[in-house]
Amino acid sequence: MVKDEVGDWREGRRRSAREAIVEAAWAAVRGEGLAGLTMRDLARRAGVTPPTLYAYFESKHDIYDAMFGQAAAEFTAVITAPYPTDDPREILITGARRFVEFCATDPPRYQLLFQRTIPGFEPSPESYAPAVEALASSHRRLALNGVTAPRHQDMWTALVTGLVDQQISNDPGGERWTRLVEEMVDMFLAHCAPAPRSTTRKASPRQKGTRS
Amino acid sequence: MVKDEVGDWREGRRRSAREAIVEAAWAAVRGEGLAGLTMRDLARRAGVTPPTLYAYFESKHDIYDAMFGQAAAEFTAVITAPYPTDDPREILITGARRFVEFCATDPPRYQLLFQRTIPGFEPSPESYAPAVEALASSHRRLALNGVTAPRHQDMWTALVTGLVDQQISNDPGGERWTRLVEEMVDMFLAHCAPAPRSTTRKASPRQKGTRS
DNA sequence: GTCTATAGCTGGATAGAC
DNA sequence: GTCTATCCAGCTATAGAC
C-alpha cells in the first residue's frame, strides 16, 4: 500500500495545493455568493493565475464538486458526532440544533449541499453518499422517539429546513429562528410520538424518561 | 403625463407591450431558471430584438422589478381572496394551503418573491408593498386562532416555508409536502393556540388525512 | 507547475439608420 | 419603436514558453 517516497511527497503536495484552492473558493463564495464564483477571482485569491487552477481541477464544476464533497464530509462529521445523552428527545433536539446551526452559519455551503442552484452541476456519487447517510441517521433519531411514519419523517424535514430557510433569509447571522429548535421539537413530538409525553411550554428543563 | 386621447392610446399600447415582454420573461425563467434570463433570449421569445427591450425597460433589473411587482400583486390577490368559512382553523388551513400551492406551483416566482438570489436586485418599494401586507394578513389569521406571540408567528412562517422548500426541492410538481398542510396546522395549533374554548371544534378529535 | 497571452464565447447595453 | 451592427466587459478554457 506504500508508494515510493517521491510519489507520496508529490501526492501530498498536490493534495495540499488542491485544499488551498478549495479553501480560497469557500472564501470567494462567502464573499460573492455561490454562483458568483469565477476562475479569475479564485485564482487571484489563491495567489496563482487561472491556468494553474486547471492543473488541479478539470473544470469549474470539478471545483464545485470538491467543495461539495468537503462540505458533505463536514456535515456528516457534525451530525454523527457522539451525542452526550441517552434521552431520545435530547438526541433529537441536539441533532436538529446541529443541523440548523451547521446550515445557518454558512449559507453558501447550505446552498451548495441542499439546494441545487448551480446550473448544470450535479455532485458526483462519491461526494453525494455522505448526505444520504446523514438523512438516514436523521430517520434513526426519529425512530428513537417512536416516529417512523414516512409522512412524519417528511414533516420533520420540512420543519427543520423551514427554520434554516427563515434564519438565512430573514435574520442572517442571528438566532431568531435557530433558538426555536427546542420548542419545535416538543411541538413535533407532542403530535407525532406514539406515547405523548408531558411537555412544558417553555424551554425549562424537564424530567427525562417519562416515555419509556 | 399626457391626458389627451392620443396620449392615452399610446400609453395603452406601451403598457400592453410591456406586459407582453414580462409574460415572455416568465416563460423564459420557467424554462431556463430565474438567473438564466438573458436579454437576447427574452427578445427572441418576445419576437423583437434586444434593443427594443430597452424602449420599454431601462435595464434587466427593471424587468425583474416588473416581474416582482406582478407576482406580488398575484400573491396578494390569492391570499386575500374571500375565505369561504368563518371557522378560524379552516381559515388558517386555507391560507396556508393557498400560500404553499402558490409558491410550489411556480418555483421561479417563489424564488423571485421570497428568496433574494438575483445579485444586486432589490425590488422597488412600490413592488414590495403588497408582500408586506400579505405577511400582515397572515398574522391576522393567526390571531383569529389566538396566536399572537412573535415567537409563534416565527414558528408559523418557518413551518409553511419549510413545506414549500421541501416540495420544490424534493418533489417538484408533486404534492408530497403540500398535502401535509392540514396536519401541520393541527400540530401547530395544538401547541401554540391558547386553552381551547369549549365551543370549538377542539372537541372533535384530530385525525390524520381527514378533510372537513 | 506556473506563467503570459489569447482564443472563443456570451453577456448587457448602445449608436445610428429608418 | 424597431431594426442592424457593434462595443465592451466578463467568462471558461487552452496553447505554448519556461
Side-chain angles (χ1 to χ4, degrees):
Chain A
M1 69 178 73
V2 180
K3 300 175 182 177
D4 65 272
E5 288 176 13
V6 173
D8 280 354
W9 178 79
R10 280 187 181 155
E11 197 58 29
R13 287 271 295 183
R14 181 177 175 81
R15 176 175 306 142
S16 78
R18 272 180 66 100
E19 287 170 0
I21 290 172
V22 170
E23 211 45 52
W26 282 116
V29 299
R30 284 183 197 115
E32 311 299 326
L34 188 62
L37 181 67
T38 71
M39 299 300 266
R40 289 187 208 282
D41 180 46
L42 174 55
R44 187 178 52 74
R45 288 174 186 267
V48 296
T49 55
T52 301
L53 300 178
Y54 291 89
Y56 296 97
F57 298 93
E58 290 197 348
S59 66
K60 187 180 174 182
H61 275 20
D62 195 22
I63 293 176
Y64 277 128
D65 195 63
M67 297 169 75
F68 186 99
Q70 188 190 71
E74 288 172 7
F75 178 67
T76 301
V78 166
I79 291 296
T80 65
Y83 288 76
T85 172
D86 285 335
D87 180 59
R89 174 180 164 276
E90 288 293 332
I91 289 176
L92 196 60
I93 289 176
T94 301
R97 215 193 300 275
R98 287 178 184 175
F99 176 82
V100 172
E101 293 201 348
F102 178 88
C103 295
T105 54
D106 197 337
R109 186 176 58 182
Y110 170 68
Q111 197 180 350
L112 179 62
L113 261 186
F114 298 105
Q115 311 196 312
R116 296 299 157 71
T117 86
I118 303 297
F121 169 67
E122 287 292 321
S124 60
E126 315 88 82
S127 299
Y128 191 66
V132 175
E133 163 55 24
L135 178 62
S137 82
S138 160
H139 288 175
R140 262 182 269 127
R141 288 186 297 281
L142 285 175
L144 281 179
N145 287 270
V147 178
T148 56
R151 181 185 186 88
H152 290 159
Q153 292 170 346
D154 285 349
M155 286 176 66
W156 173 254
T157 60
L159 202 139
V160 290
T161 59
L163 288 176
V164 171
D165 201 70
Q166 290 297 296
Q167 184 60 59
I168 289 177
S169 298
N170 297 326
D171 183 36
E175 57 172 13
R176 181 168 158 190
W177 276 271
T178 60
R179 68 183 176 186
L180 302 177
V181 163
E182 184 171 358
E183 189 170 352
M184 280 285 212
V185 169
D186 283 335
M187 176 182 75
F188 176 80
L189 286 181
H191 179 83
C192 294
R197 62 187 63 225
S198 67
T199 55
T200 53
R201 182 63 65 84
K202 287 293 185 170
S204 62
R206 74 214 58 210
Q207 56 283 21
K208 304 175 181 179
T210 55
R211 194 178 73 85
S212 59
Chain B
M1 285 293 193
V2 183
K3 290 301 181 184
D4 62 274
E5 286 175 15
V6 173
D8 281 353
W9 177 80
R10 280 186 181 155
E11 195 59 28
R13 287 269 297 183
R14 180 177 175 82
R15 177 175 305 142
S16 78
R18 272 181 65 101
E19 286 171 0
I21 291 172
V22 169
E23 211 46 52
W26 281 116
V29 300
R30 285 183 196 116
E32 312 297 326
L34 188 62
L37 182 67
T38 71
M39 299 301 267
R40 284 169 154 79
D41 180 47
L42 173 56
R44 187 179 53 74
R45 289 174 185 267
V48 296
T49 56
T52 302
L53 300 178
Y54 290 89
Y56 295 96
F57 298 93
E58 291 197 346
S59 66
K60 188 180 173 183
H61 275 20
D62 195 23
I63 295 176
Y64 278 128
D65 194 61
M67 296 169 75
F68 186 100
Q70 188 190 71
E74 288 172 8
F75 178 68
T76 302
V78 166
I79 289 296
T80 64
Y83 288 76
T85 173
D86 285 336
D87 180 61
R89 173 179 164 277
E90 287 294 330
I91 289 176
L92 195 60
I93 288 176
T94 301
R97 216 194 300 275
R98 287 178 183 175
F99 176 82
V100 172
E101 292 201 349
F102 179 88
C103 295
T105 53
D106 197 337
R109 185 177 59 182
Y110 170 68
Q111 197 179 351
L112 178 62
L113 262 185
F114 297 106
Q115 311 196 312
R116 295 299 157 71
T117 161
I118 303 296
F121 170 67
E122 286 292 320
S124 59
E126 314 89 81
S127 299
Y128 190 68
V132 176
E133 163 55 23
L135 178 62
S137 82
S138 160
H139 287 175
R140 261 183 269 120
R141 287 186 297 281
L142 285 175
L144 282 179
N145 287 270
V147 177
T148 56
R151 180 184 187 88
H152 290 159
Q153 292 169 345
D154 285 349
M155 287 176 65
W156 174 255
T157 60
L159 205 138
V160 290
T161 59
L163 288 176
V164 171
D165 200 71
Q166 289 295 296
Q167 184 60 57
I168 290 176
S169 298
N170 298 326
D171 183 36
E175 56 173 11
R176 181 168 159 190
W177 275 270
T178 59
R179 68 184 176 185
L180 301 178
V181 164
E182 184 170 359
E183 188 170 352
M184 279 285 212
V185 169
D186 284 335
M187 176 181 76
F188 176 80
L189 287 181
H191 179 83
C192 293
R197 297 144 296 173
S198 55
T199 65
T200 63
R201 76 227 49 85
K202 186 63 165 53
S204 75
R206 73 186 73 263
Q207 64 283 59
K208 304 168 175 129
T210 305
R211 311 287 271 258
S212 59

